[in-house]
Amino acid sequence: MELQEYFNEIVRNVDMEIQNRLKGDVKGLYEASYHLFTAGGKRLRPLVVVSVANVLGGDINRAYLAATAVEILHNFTLIHDDIMDQDTIRRGVPTVHVKWGVPMAILAGDLLHAKAFEVLSDALKGLENDRIFLGFSEFAKSTEIIAEGQTMDMEFENRNDVTEVEYIKMIEKKTAQLFSCSAFLGALISKANDYFLDKAKILGLKMGTAFQIVDDILGLTAEEKDLGKPVYSDIRESKKTILLIRALNEASESEKKTIMEGLGSKDPEKIRKAAEIVKNLSLDYAYSLAEKLAEEANRIIEEWDSNTSIGGKALKYLVELTVKRRK
């Protein structure tokens, strides 16, 4: 089976499951909950769940359900993130709170949070009790960790002394944790032992951290039509990305002054000038960090599978895509 066909099959099954789950009598609530799913999305986390399960011999139907649970949880976080960041566009369409209002968007996120656990319960049903416990524990803990990461991200907006170590810790929590949980669930439903469960977490964490670093890069380099949201929004919102942290460390006094004038500004020209300096001083460094993480992730995949199974090939491709994507 070709990789594209393999990925399409996963996405079809996950999307069908999501569609079936997000139906109810309160029409507006379910429309708001389903909105971002209709706008596309990469479905990377579901692809990780199913590919890990494939490599480790897991049941495909359980894998589809676990993948669905992860994707629903991910979209719950996106809806609430957009409210907090006051973003108006996501995946090229109006955000949920813009289209339905903040109260409905909060409720839509709450519904998705509950639905994610509901679907996970079906994915784990019939496994040994200790595995069911581990699955729910990791899923719940991931939700807590993501909330911690989002809080750190918001707090960093009011600081100009955020370190690279702090940034990495923040994105491991905010973004990489759900990748880690995805790989873990793929291994868990495959009845993998503790060694493989731990390796799966590390694999997901490396992939997710690289993904967020590249996401931060794309926020400065991608075209708005590809990005699906306004460019330079990280500068406008004074987000402390690895690029900004590196640039502030490397900048001359005059460059630093221009960067600081752009941070949090509403002036498009000041934002653009700040972004250009940040790009010049930090792009190569940020890419090298992402590539190092990708290499570490690939070593784990090669330990599991030397590119002999479709799942192993898929995971290697996903790691490469995480670093080399352009949107």
Side-chain angles (χ1 to χ4, degrees):
M1 184 186 290
E2 292 296 325
L3 274 181
Q4 194 55 58
E5 184 185 345
Y6 174 78
F7 290 144
N8 288 344
E9 182 69 12
I10 295 170
V11 172
R12 270 196 304 272
N13 278 276
V14 169
D15 283 356
M16 192 183 309
E17 192 66 40
I18 291 169
Q19 188 175 18
N20 290 336
R21 296 282 179 158
L22 295 182
K23 293 177 179 176
D25 294 334
V26 186
K27 188 178 177 183
L29 175 62
Y30 285 89
E31 285 180 349
S33 301
Y34 192 56
H35 175 62
L36 289 183
F37 294 107
T38 65
K42 304 172 190 67
R43 306 292 191 262
L44 284 180
R45 296 153 192 83
L47 295 177
V48 170
V49 175
V50 179
S51 297
V52 169
N54 182 282
V55 171
L56 299 179
D59 177 81
I60 192 66
N61 291 318
R62 283 192 191 278
Y64 287 149
L65 286 170
T68 300
V70 165
E71 186 65 13
I72 290 174
L73 188 72
H74 173 54
N75 278 262
F76 144 68
T77 67
L78 296 183
I79 291 175
H80 283 192
D81 277 2
D82 287 339
I83 295 169
M84 287 179 272
D85 292 341
Q86 299 179 34
D87 284 338
T88 58
I89 299 291
R90 166 79 68 176
R91 296 172 180 167
V93 300
T95 49
V96 176
H97 70 276
V98 167
K99 190 164 183 177
W100 278 274
V102 171
M104 182 65 86
I106 292 171
L107 287 170
D110 291 346
L111 177 72
L112 292 181
H113 184 253
K115 283 287 183 183
F117 279 88
E118 179 184 289
V119 179
L120 182 65
S121 70
D122 289 338
L124 301 177
K125 186 177 180 181
L127 293 177
E128 298 90 340
N129 286 343
D130 61 337
R131 286 192 172 267
I132 295 173
F133 170 79
L134 280 174
F136 276 113
S137 176
E138 188 67 22
F139 206 63
K141 187 164 58 176
S142 293
T143 312
E144 296 168 12
I145 291 171
I146 292 166
E148 292 174 359
Q150 176 66 9
T151 302
M152 291 172 70
D153 192 22
M154 291 190 302
E155 289 176 345
F156 288 175
E157 291 173 22
N158 299 315
R159 288 177 51 194
N160 293 320
D161 60 347
V162 178
T163 66
E164 185 177 316
V165 171
E166 288 177 307
Y167 163 83
I168 294 295
K169 184 177 180 182
M170 181 271 287
I171 65 171
E172 282 180 347
K173 287 174 175 284
K174 180 183 175 181
T175 301
Q177 178 58 36
L178 197 52
F179 279 87
S180 180
C181 181
S182 298
F184 176 84
L185 288 174
L188 184 78
I189 62 173
S190 306
K191 302 184 180 180
N193 61 28
D194 288 347
Y195 175 81
F196 284 104
L197 290 176
D198 288 342
K199 283 288 186 180
K201 283 187 186 181
I202 296 168
L203 168 64
L205 203 67
K206 300 289 184 187
M207 287 181 68
T209 306
F211 176 89
Q212 185 58 57
I213 290 171
V214 174
D215 213 51
D216 291 344
I217 292 170
L218 292 175
L220 290 181
T221 61
E223 296 290 330
E224 191 163 313
K225 61 182 173 59
D226 293 330
L227 197 59
K229 60 183 179 180
V231 291
Y232 303 157
S233 60
D234 286 346
I235 300 290
R236 189 184 69 247
E237 295 164 13
S238 197
K239 295 283 187 184
K240 302 308 184 295
T241 66
I242 187 63
L243 296 105
L244 180 62
I245 292 166
R246 178 70 176 181
L248 286 174
N249 286 337
E250 298 294 315
S252 65
E253 286 305 313
S254 63
E255 287 172 328
K256 193 175 293 186
K257 182 174 183 289
T258 302
I259 292 172
M260 297 308 295
E261 285 175 352
L263 287 184
S265 174
K266 298 187 186 303
D267 183 334
E269 185 59 19
K270 286 183 177 180
I271 293 171
R272 187 194 65 78
K273 285 181 178 178
E276 289 303 317
I277 293 172
V278 170
K279 281 193 285 187
N280 289 338
L281 294 174
S282 65
L283 275 181
D284 289 345
Y285 180 75
Y287 269 123
S288 70
L289 271 183
E291 286 167 355
K292 180 174 181 290
L293 288 160
E295 288 170 8
E296 292 168 356
N298 276 327
R299 281 199 288 272
I300 294 173
I301 298 166
E302 286 163 4
E303 180 185 327
W304 289 357
D305 182 292
S306 302
N307 269 0
T308 55
S309 75
I310 188 69
K313 291 175 182 175
L315 286 172
K316 294 273 280 190
Y317 178 85
L318 291 172
V319 169
E320 183 180 8
L321 177 67
T322 293
V323 177
K324 295 187 176 178
R325 66 197 175 94
R326 289 293 176 262
K327 61 181 180 176

